[in-house]
Amino acid sequence: MEHTRIKELLKSEDFGKEVIVKGWVRTFRNNQFIAINDGSTINNIQAVIDFDNTSDAILKRITTGAAVRVKGNLVESMGKGQKVEIKATDVSIIGDSDPEKYPLQPKKHSLEFLREIAHLRFRTGTFNAIFKVRNALAFAVNKFFQERDFVYMHTPIITGSDAEGAGEMFRVTTLDLNNIPRTENGEIDFKEDFFGKSTNLTVSGQLEGELAALAFGNIYTFGPTFRAENSNTTRHLAEFWMIEPEMAFYELEDNMDLAEDLLKYVIRYALEQCPEEIEFLNNRLLEEEKSKPQNERSELNLIEKLNFVINNDFERVTYTEAIEILLRSKPNQKKQFKYLIENWGADLQSEHERFLVEKHFKKPVILTDYPREIKSFYMKQNPVDANGRQTVRAMDILFPGIGEMVGGSQREENLEKLITRMGEVGIPTEEMEWFLDTRRFGSVPHSGFGVGFERLVLFTTGMTNIRDVIPFPRTPNNAEF
Amino acid sequence: MEHTRIKELLKSEDFGKEVIVKGWVRTFRNNQFIAINDGSTINNIQAVIDFDNTSDAILKRITTGAAVRVKGNLVESMGKGQKVEIKATDVSIIGDSDPEKYPLQPKKHSLEFLREIAHLRFRTGTFNAIFKVRNALAFAVNKFFQERDFVYMHTPIITGSDAEGAGEMFRVTTLDLNNIPRTENGEIDFKEDFFGKSTNLTVSGQLEGELAALAFGNIYTFGPTFRAENSNTTRHLAEFWMIEPEMAFYELEDNMDLAEDLLKYVIRYALEQCPEEIEFLNNRLLEEEKSKPQNERSELNLIEKLNFVINNDFERVTYTEAIEILLRSKPNQKKQFKYLIENWGADLQSEHERFLVEKHFKKPVILTDYPREIKSFYMKQNPVDANGRQTVRAMDILFPGIGEMVGGSQREENLEKLITRMGEVGIPTEEMEWFLDTRRFGSVPHSGFGVGFERLVLFTTGMTNIRDVIPFPRTPNNAEF
């Protein structure tokens, strides 16, 4: 490899040294100054052309998007905002880019337009910054758990179980849709399908994670999960990555501590590893908000918001306390909520969560002990309280601008209670004997949670549409590239 | 958290200290010695019961698989093979395990039996060791690439493209199989499907990885991939994890160097991080091989084999050289190969690869420059040689006992050559315009490869069936748990 990456060159002080750089032209000004980017950093290096030794034929081919090789000497830059530049002695074209056809022009493109050319948007500063932050967050997730001796488990993507109950599922099949095999009774004969039964894409690795936690103690998953829901919102994807730790002997408080530690750790890591990228995104957001009326702008800028989260305790509130706050709240009293809170037991809507997080507490909030009826069958049941209310040891972490970042709970470890609850909500136990075995043989208190990774990236980058923080988003009617 | 994990306790020298341990009973001998494991290590801690203060009712419930809490003092152990044990002052049962029903008994179970109870096999020493090694390898993959400034990209799992050509695909759909919508022409109306078109599970993230590499320079994927092939072998899975780096400005030699460095790095990391686990697996393999005739046993034990790989250069050989070796080889001359090598152009079978790796070179081999006709359309074409032979800049890394561990190539960066080749092999370019754009706008030489993660785990653990190194294997007619 004869060339040096631009990230290294921009940090170098070896003035006079001969270097070779390879990258793509971002701009070419005055037939003299090439801004070159090789993806290693959001910053470009400037190469100054040696007129006498560069042919017109080459000059014409230095166009936005073209790949070039530049040899020259590293010199101190006279320009603003850059320490070094290259005094070029030799420029050659590696790959041309027809400026009439290249969709990325040296001007601001809308995020909507860039979504349509997602295969090229990585070549912009904004998306370079977003995916560098995403990369840092992903590594931080693994680093956090490895430092705590958690075992990374790859739970299955294709699942024969449809009892996870977390949402609509995608079918996985090799049956010929033009010639579906039938049993004698005329039903679809899934025995002929690849796995000999009906299979789907997983909505969560939790149940398999529990199996592993009750052997290894502490485990985590980090992999893709799927929801076949027709949600065309800025916060939903049909395919997204989820982090799901599961811990034996953890009770709800331990679970909340771990989740809070994780979120602070990974955001701090991104701030440390990607200071330039986050500053770039901070400025992008300030610029974007300039077009908004004053009262709709954020009180804190992106960097202030990230620092606020890592330096302050999350607010821990029970569902029951939250309902009291909401009942007394101005938007409820003045009937400004679309869904008015009328009594205990109501499911919280996005508007209520936002009120609690953004208006009332002004910080991340951990809501606990939800009514049993609005939560999943596997959550540990609290004793019925003096008012006859039945809650479960759930905990959701709500973030400003994002809503639910984490959903988790202590799990019901009592076999009888679990079977009874499954019966009540209509989950057949026969298909779940493997799951019930964890409560049958050496059952212990345990807990876990799931973090939507793209929501974490959304928060940390200050972006507002989840389609901009995953390389190739999958949403209803969209599976391009 | 009141308890200490056993991994910590076994390293402790705080004799006399009062400790609490929580875990599962592996064995209970003489009504006095409990071997407890909490999954943090393959090793158990021994607790010695205080007879006078432990009721018969408790003693009866200390059975294999039961979860217990033991309080006591850490003391120096008199027994062999352990430094410390716990002189118990208080034992309580957290979760019972009926010894009549618990499938895991304190005896040796076959791997076949354990596969049927994959939800419980994590509780054995063998599977604890395997998944600790898998965990170490997975983290090492990320660490290796992060240290080299590669960007981790999550390429899509659901894909609308079926041109990857790497194998049979699984369909992903939300269509009602009992009522498939049809167009006026009677064809399946995929406009009604979730994504508005026909979609599949990805067989490789390479093509999307190339898009990212031509923006970021160096990227890698590490995620699940799928093959709907009816292969019931000890080396194939329908769902497996793959690592796919892709690098701009890398030529074939750089690509080979990176792949060799990666494999050595991650195996070295596993040896460093999991010495006890690998020693355990080493002994397991020695034990297993005792039942084989002398001439079928491995020349090197597991640890020697791993050290051999990390301390020696891989052999780099062209396909053409390999064919000459095979033509001259004893099994070819004596017609012992099932598929005899008769001339240049033959596709290599597993028996030929094994001969080269295990008999001829006795080390990992990198085979390069295969005939164009037996490789993928996207591989860079070499100039036609003096004999009129057309090869491509492919490289496969073959490992002893495993076969193909890595498959990669330099990519064809020339737009015209690529389009011509796609035409020859029948891949419609219209659906691949996004891919071709990388060659249209700033095309550069680039390379990449894929590593089958489970094959890496198989090699590093010395296991022989790939179903034993992934938590819940998916194979034809099997998607349990």
Side-chain angles (χ1 to χ4, degrees):
Chain A
M1 212 115 5
E2 53 168 9
H3 63 288
T4 310
R5 300 198 79 198
I6 291 171
K7 188 176 178 181
E8 297 310 312
L9 288 180
L10 290 177
K11 284 189 282 193
S12 172
E13 296 191 344
D14 275 347
F15 300 123
K17 189 183 174 188
E18 178 168 272
V19 297
I20 293 173
V21 63
K22 292 181 179 175
W24 294 273
V25 176
R26 284 285 168 86
T27 59
F28 184 37
R29 288 185 301 115
N30 300 345
N31 243 6
Q32 188 171 18
F33 303 105
I34 324 177
I36 307 170
N37 188 288
D38 66 0
S40 63
T41 151
I42 47 170
N43 299 309
N44 308 324
I45 198 162
Q46 175 163 288
V48 186
I49 294 271
D50 171 16
F51 263 124
D52 297 336
N53 291 304
T54 311
S55 71
D56 270 1
I58 292 287
L59 284 177
K60 272 188 200 150
R61 293 167 64 198
I62 304 176
T63 56
T64 298
V68 293
R69 174 185 178 279
V70 174
K71 189 158 91 175
N73 301 93
L74 206 63
V75 297
E76 227 169 327
S77 176
M78 299 296 136
K80 272 193 303 186
Q82 62 212 16
K83 210 173 59 181
V84 300
E85 61 187 26
I86 298 173
K87 194 162 173 302
T89 52
D90 182 67
V91 178
S92 57
I93 308 294
I94 302 173
D96 287 286
S97 174
D98 182 344
E100 303 290 310
K101 292 183 182 155
Y102 190 51
L104 286 173
Q105 296 301 317
K107 62 158 197 166
K108 197 171 152 51
H109 293 290
S110 74
L111 294 171
E112 291 73 18
F113 171 72
L114 292 172
R115 242 168 261 150
E116 283 168 25
I117 52 163
H119 64 307
L120 297 174
R121 66 179 177 170
F122 303 128
R123 301 179 180 197
T124 66
T126 301
F127 286 91
N128 187 299
I130 291 168
F131 288 103
K132 290 285 172 63
V133 171
R134 184 179 169 112
N135 171 68
L137 288 169
F139 187 62
V141 166
N142 284 304
K143 196 162 177 290
F144 175 86
F145 286 116
Q146 294 297 319
E147 287 172 358
R148 283 155 189 77
D149 250 339
F150 280 55
V151 181
Y152 182 23
M153 295 298 294
H154 291 123
T155 49
I157 308 301
I158 298 173
T159 170
S161 147
D162 56 3
E164 292 159 346
E168 291 295 309
M169 300 176 97
F170 288 100
R171 172 178 302 286
V172 174
T173 182
T174 55
L175 293 179
D176 177 357
L177 300 196
N178 278 313
N179 188 14
I180 291 181
R182 302 274 170 182
T183 62
E184 286 182 6
N185 303 330
E187 287 168 354
I188 297 167
D189 188 4
F190 286 111
K191 285 214 170 62
E192 297 289 313
D193 208 348
F194 189 89
F195 295 107
K197 62 176 181 178
S198 167
T199 51
N200 297 298
L201 290 177
T202 186
V203 295
S204 160
Q206 178 196 319
L207 303 191
E208 290 90 354
E210 287 189 46
L211 305 177
L214 295 194
F216 295 106
N218 299 335
I219 67 97
Y220 69 107
T221 73
F222 184 13
T225 51
F226 305 85
R227 303 281 156 87
E229 269 145 35
N230 200 3
S231 304
N232 249 318
T233 81
T234 57
R235 292 189 306 158
H236 289 89
L237 292 165
E239 172 181 317
F240 57 100
W241 284 63
M242 191 139 71
I243 304 146
E244 295 183 282
E246 195 72 34
M247 297 74 63
F249 309 114
Y250 267 53
E251 304 197 0
L252 190 66
E253 290 68 26
D254 308 309
N255 203 27
M256 290 193 277
D257 291 345
L258 186 77
E260 186 168 340
D261 286 350
L262 169 67
L263 294 174
K264 289 176 170 174
Y265 181 101
V266 300
I267 293 171
R268 182 176 293 117
Y269 186 86
L271 277 165
E272 286 165 5
Q273 297 292 313
C274 303
E276 291 179 338
E277 289 82 0
I278 291 179
E279 199 190 327
F280 180 97
L281 293 166
N282 187 58
N283 294 337
R284 193 203 70 83
L285 192 59
L286 288 175
E287 201 59 42
E288 190 183 87
E289 292 207 334
K290 275 188 191 162
S291 63
K292 289 187 181 175
Q294 188 71 44
N295 66 343
E296 284 179 27
R297 295 183 201 170
S298 313
E299 286 175 37
L300 302 179
N301 72 26
L302 176 62
I303 295 173
E304 289 165 344
K305 199 172 63 168
L306 298 179
N307 278 306
F308 182 85
V309 164
I310 63 182
N311 293 321
N312 287 282
D313 289 343
F314 297 0
E315 193 72 34
R316 300 183 180 193
V317 188
T318 66
Y319 166 89
T320 303
E321 289 161 349
I323 286 291
E324 281 159 18
I325 292 166
L326 289 167
L327 280 170
R328 285 196 310 267
S329 71
K330 214 170 83 177
N332 205 57
Q333 306 250 337
K334 301 214 164 185
K335 309 203 169 181
Q336 288 158 345
F337 282 142
K338 188 169 166 210
Y339 299 91
L340 291 182
I341 297 288
E342 293 180 336
N343 45 34
W344 192 94
D347 204 352
L348 300 186
Q349 305 295 325
S350 172
E351 57 182 344
H352 309 129
E353 295 178 350
R354 293 192 69 155
F355 174 82
L356 291 168
V357 171
E358 291 164 24
K359 302 290 176 193
H360 190 83
F361 292 111
K362 296 178 186 272
K363 55 159 76 170
V365 172
I366 313 185
L367 277 187
T368 66
D369 301 285
Y370 284 77
R372 184 179 71 170
E373 305 310 318
I374 60 174
K375 286 291 184 182
S376 301
F377 72 92
Y378 49 71
M379 295 187 178
K380 185 176 172 67
Q381 300 175 35
N382 282 313
V384 178
D385 80 1
N387 301 316
R389 290 167 174 171
Q390 172 76 70
T391 55
V392 288
R393 305 244 70 194
M395 66 116 184
D396 284 358
I397 304 187
L398 311 176
F399 258 54
I402 302 290
E404 186 186 323
M405 176 76 86
V406 171
S409 73
Q410 187 168 337
R411 316 307 189 189
E412 182 57 74
E413 85 263 25
N414 181 288
L415 181 64
E416 284 71 36
K417 284 189 187 170
L418 188 58
I419 290 178
T420 303
R421 189 69 193 141
M422 288 170 78
E424 286 166 2
V425 300
I427 294 174
T429 53
E430 312 84 69
E431 289 174 22
M432 301 283 282
E433 288 302 328
W434 51 273
F435 181 64
L436 294 172
D437 273 357
T438 53
R439 276 66 172 178
R440 203 167 267 139
F441 304 117
S443 186
V444 305
H446 62 289
S447 301
F449 59 85
V451 187
F453 184 60
E454 280 73 21
R455 293 194 177 179
L456 183 59
V457 184
L458 206 55
F459 182 76
T460 312
T461 57
M463 300 300 292
T464 48
N465 190 321
I466 203 157
R467 295 162 205 221
D468 293 333
V469 301
I470 189 166
F472 301 99
R474 269 69 181 108
T475 53
N477 285 312
N478 176 35
E480 295 309 305
F481 310 106
Chain B
M1 213 116 3
E2 53 167 12
H3 63 288
T4 310
R5 300 198 79 196
I6 290 171
K7 187 176 178 180
E8 298 310 311
L9 288 180
L10 290 176
K11 285 189 281 194
S12 171
E13 296 191 344
D14 275 346
F15 301 124
K17 190 183 174 188
E18 179 169 89
V19 298
I20 294 173
V21 63
K22 293 180 179 176
W24 293 273
V25 175
R26 285 283 169 87
T27 59
F28 185 37
R29 289 186 300 115
N30 300 344
N31 243 5
Q32 188 173 17
F33 304 105
I34 323 178
I36 306 170
N37 187 288
D38 67 0
S40 63
T41 151
I42 47 170
N43 299 309
N44 308 324
I45 197 161
Q46 174 163 289
V48 186
I49 294 271
D50 172 16
F51 263 124
D52 297 337
N53 290 303
T54 311
S55 71
D56 270 2
I58 292 287
L59 285 177
K60 272 186 199 150
R61 294 167 63 196
I62 304 175
T63 56
T64 297
V68 292
R69 173 185 180 277
V70 174
K71 188 158 94 176
N73 301 94
L74 206 63
V75 296
E76 226 167 330
S77 177
M78 299 296 135
K80 271 192 303 186
Q82 62 213 18
K83 210 174 60 180
V84 300
E85 61 187 25
I86 298 173
K87 194 165 172 300
T89 53
D90 183 66
V91 178
S92 57
I93 308 294
I94 301 174
D96 288 285
S97 174
D98 182 343
E100 302 291 310
K101 293 183 182 155
Y102 190 52
L104 287 172
Q105 296 299 319
K107 61 158 195 167
K108 198 170 152 51
H109 294 290
S110 74
L111 294 171
E112 291 74 19
F113 172 72
L114 292 172
R115 242 168 259 151
E116 284 169 25
I117 51 164
H119 64 306
L120 297 174
R121 67 180 177 169
F122 303 128
R123 300 180 181 195
T124 66
T126 301
F127 286 91
N128 188 298
I130 291 168
F131 288 103
K132 290 285 172 63
V133 171
R134 184 178 169 113
N135 171 69
L137 289 168
F139 186 63
V141 166
N142 285 303
K143 196 164 177 290
F144 175 87
F145 286 116
Q146 294 296 319
E147 287 171 359
R148 283 154 188 77
D149 251 338
F150 281 56
V151 181
Y152 182 23
M153 295 298 295
H154 290 123
T155 47
I157 309 301
I158 298 172
T159 170
S161 145
D162 56 3
E164 292 160 347
E168 291 294 310
M169 299 177 97
F170 288 101
R171 172 177 301 287
V172 175
T173 182
T174 55
L175 293 179
D176 177 357
L177 300 196
N178 277 311
N179 189 14
I180 290 180
R182 301 275 170 182
T183 63
E184 286 181 7
N185 303 331
E187 286 168 355
I188 298 168
D189 188 4
F190 286 112
K191 286 214 170 62
E192 296 289 313
D193 209 346
F194 189 90
F195 295 106
K197 62 177 182 177
S198 167
T199 52
N200 296 300
L201 290 178
T202 186
V203 296
S204 160
Q206 178 195 319
L207 302 190
E208 290 89 354
E210 287 189 47
L211 305 177
L214 295 195
F216 295 106
N218 299 336
I219 66 97
Y220 69 107
T221 73
F222 185 12
T225 51
F226 305 84
R227 302 281 157 88
E229 269 145 36
N230 200 1
S231 305
N232 248 317
T233 81
T234 57
R235 292 189 306 157
H236 290 89
L237 292 166
E239 171 182 318
F240 57 100
W241 284 64
M242 191 140 71
I243 303 146
E244 294 182 284
E246 196 71 35
M247 296 75 63
F249 309 112
Y250 268 53
E251 304 196 0
L252 190 66
E253 289 69 24
D254 308 310
N255 203 26
M256 290 192 277
D257 291 345
L258 186 77
E260 187 168 340
D261 286 350
L262 169 68
L263 294 173
K264 289 176 171 174
Y265 181 101
V266 300
I267 293 171
R268 183 176 292 118
Y269 186 86
L271 277 165
E272 285 165 5
Q273 296 292 313
C274 303
E276 291 180 338
E277 289 82 359
I278 291 179
E279 198 190 328
F280 180 96
L281 293 165
N282 187 59
N283 294 336
R284 192 203 70 82
L285 192 59
L286 288 176
E287 200 59 42
E288 189 182 87
E289 293 206 333
K290 275 187 190 163
S291 64
K292 290 186 179 175
Q294 188 71 42
N295 65 343
E296 284 180 26
R297 296 184 201 169
S298 312
E299 286 176 36
L300 302 179
N301 72 27
L302 175 62
I303 295 173
E304 289 165 346
K305 198 173 62 168
L306 299 178
N307 278 306
F308 182 85
V309 164
I310 62 182
N311 293 321
N312 287 282
D313 289 343
F314 297 180
E315 193 72 34
R316 300 182 180 193
V317 188
T318 66
Y319 166 89
T320 302
E321 289 161 348
I323 286 291
E324 282 160 17
I325 292 167
L326 289 167
L327 280 169
R328 286 195 308 267
S329 71
K330 213 170 83 177
N332 204 56
Q333 307 251 339
K334 301 215 163 184
K335 310 205 169 183
Q336 287 158 344
F337 282 141
K338 189 171 166 207
Y339 299 92
L340 290 182
I341 297 288
E342 293 179 338
N343 46 33
W344 193 94
D347 204 352
L348 299 186
Q349 305 296 323
S350 172
E351 58 182 344
H352 309 129
E353 295 178 351
R354 294 193 68 156
F355 175 81
L356 291 169
V357 171
E358 292 164 22
K359 304 287 177 195
H360 190 83
F361 291 110
K362 295 178 188 274
K363 55 159 73 171
V365 172
I366 313 185
L367 277 187
T368 65
D369 301 285
Y370 283 77
R372 185 179 69 167
E373 305 311 318
I374 60 174
K375 286 291 185 183
S376 301
F377 72 91
Y378 49 71
M379 295 186 178
K380 184 175 172 70
Q381 299 175 34
N382 282 313
V384 177
D385 79 2
N387 301 314
R389 290 167 174 171
Q390 172 76 69
T391 55
V392 287
R393 304 245 71 194
M395 65 118 183
D396 284 358
I397 304 188
L398 311 176
F399 259 55
I402 302 289
E404 185 185 324
M405 177 76 86
V406 171
S409 74
Q410 187 168 338
R411 317 306 189 188
E412 182 56 75
E413 85 264 24
N414 182 287
L415 181 65
E416 285 69 37
K417 284 190 186 170
L418 188 58
I419 289 176
T420 303
R421 189 68 194 142
M422 288 169 78
E424 286 166 2
V425 299
I427 293 174
T429 54
E430 312 86 67
E431 291 173 23
M432 302 283 283
E433 288 302 329
W434 51 272
F435 180 65
L436 294 173
D437 273 357
T438 53
R439 275 66 172 178
R440 202 168 268 139
F441 305 115
S443 187
V444 305
H446 63 288
S447 300
F449 58 84
V451 187
F453 184 60
E454 280 72 21
R455 292 194 177 177
L456 182 59
V457 184
L458 205 56
F459 182 76
T460 313
T461 57
M463 299 300 292
T464 47
N465 190 320
I466 204 159
R467 296 162 204 222
D468 293 332
V469 301
I470 188 166
F472 301 99
R474 269 69 181 107
T475 53
N477 285 311
N478 177 34
E480 295 309 305
F481 312 106

